[in-house]
Amino acid sequence: MNPRLARALVNGALLGCAVVAVLPLLWMLSASLMPPGSASALPPPLLPAHPTLENYRALFARAGMGRYLLNSLAISGAIAALALACNLMAGYAFAKLRFAGRERLFRALIGALLIPAQVAMLPLFLLLKYAGLVNSYAGVVVPAMASLFGIYLVREFARSVPDELLEAARIDGAGEWRIFVQIVLPLLKPVMATLTVFTFLAAWNDFMWPLIVLTGQEHYTLPLALASLAREHSEDTELMMAGSVVTVLPVLLLFLALQRHYLQGLLLGSVKG
């Protein structure tokens, strides 16, 4: 086959897939700007005839979406920060520090990846209940402070750090904490961005665990608030689309801001792992 024709076919297929993936998001944004009832017409319009922000005003004024947005930002930000710190330290320890049972413990952690998360939800809920953390932000944050996948990703990436560099720092009198902060962390920036995006996205989109732990509506995150809004306003398509835009926009902006480092971390991790 002609190389130019093959390239054109591949690019055309990729463009078609991109259109299929992006078109629902674009219509969601378009419908959120339509007056009430417009999106339910047959056939549904692609663009708003009279764009309006009334749906967004109603969303924050009547539905209290501002509080749920702040809840999601606080919970997801805390989870991303704490998980990043715990995963970096644990992954580096498994990669470069020698201690008794290191390999056996790491193999046990890898084996735990095969256990579905739903299996641990009941015992985890009972532990949080005994600790008094049910219906609190801590009940959502504490179980997500570290992840097996995050530890594995950091470990595989940190193995590429030269041992000679660490030994030279130790000979110069640097302690382990100083080596980790001043030498290792700057070399782990790509995987840090990747972990931040992964963790923030997982926490932001999580529905099941907050639904179990958060019993009071004042603590709801955006996915829970959106589900509650769908039950109360099932006929108001435009309001639902506005809620969906508010839910998607922060994580989209985060991904675009860290896109270069995120992709670099994935590519380097796949080569070095």
Side-chain angles (χ1 to χ4, degrees):
M1 181 182 292
N2 190 306
R4 291 185 178 179
L5 178 60
R7 190 180 304 112
L9 291 175
V10 171
N11 291 336
L14 292 176
L15 180 61
C17 292
V19 170
V20 171
V22 172
L23 190 59
L25 297 176
L26 294 179
W27 189 82
M28 177 181 71
L29 176 62
S30 176
S32 71
L33 299 174
M34 296 180 185
S38 301
S40 302
L42 292 177
L46 295 179
L47 297 174
H50 304 286
T52 176
L53 295 176
E54 183 59 33
N55 297 311
Y56 292 95
R57 282 193 287 266
L59 194 66
F60 284 90
R62 292 192 284 112
M65 194 60 66
R67 179 180 181 85
Y68 306 133
L69 177 61
L70 291 177
N71 288 345
S72 284
L73 286 173
I75 291 174
S76 301
I79 289 176
L82 292 173
L84 183 63
C86 293
N87 291 335
L88 285 171
M89 289 187 288
Y92 168 71
F94 278 115
K96 293 299 180 181
L97 301 183
R98 294 183 176 88
F99 53 89
R102 183 184 71 171
E103 296 303 322
R104 288 193 297 271
L105 180 57
F106 184 72
R107 284 195 293 268
L109 291 177
I110 294 301
L113 284 172
L114 302 176
I115 302 175
Q118 292 78 5
V119 174
M121 282 186 175
L122 178 58
L124 184 57
F125 176 80
L126 294 177
L127 286 174
L128 293 177
K129 181 181 178 182
Y130 295 145
L133 297 180
V134 172
N135 195 30
S136 68
Y137 299 131
V140 183
V141 174
V142 169
M145 285 177 57
S147 68
L148 300 177
F149 174 76
I151 294 173
Y152 171 78
L153 187 65
V154 173
R155 184 218 183 223
E156 295 303 303
F157 197 93
R159 290 174 64 187
S160 64
V161 177
D163 291 331
E164 294 79 7
L165 182 64
L166 306 182
E167 290 299 329
R170 293 188 180 103
I171 292 174
D172 289 340
E176 293 299 330
W177 180 251
R178 183 180 177 186
I179 292 173
F180 176 71
V181 173
Q182 297 186 0
I183 297 177
V184 176
L185 284 187
L187 299 176
L188 298 182
K189 284 184 179 179
V191 78
M192 290 170 63
T194 303
L195 265 182
T196 300
V197 174
F198 267 144
T199 309
F200 192 91
L201 282 175
W204 185 272
N205 295 324
D206 192 13
F207 178 82
M208 182 62 70
W209 183 243
L211 179 64
I212 295 173
V213 177
L214 302 177
T215 57
Q217 190 168 353
E218 69 277 4
H219 294 121
Y220 274 10
T221 58
L222 274 178
L224 298 182
L226 199 60
S228 177
L229 190 68
R231 291 192 297 268
E232 298 174 6
H233 302 273
S234 57
E235 302 297 326
D236 198 343
T237 304
E238 298 79 16
L239 187 65
M240 291 301 304
M241 293 300 102
S244 299
V245 170
V246 172
T247 303
V248 170
L249 190 59
V251 290
L252 180 61
L253 294 177
L254 176 67
F255 177 79
L256 293 177
L258 299 178
Q259 180 181 12
R260 181 171 63 87
H261 300 290
Y262 170 78
L263 294 177
Q264 183 182 1
L266 285 181
L267 293 174
L268 291 178
S270 64
V271 172
K272 296 176 181 177

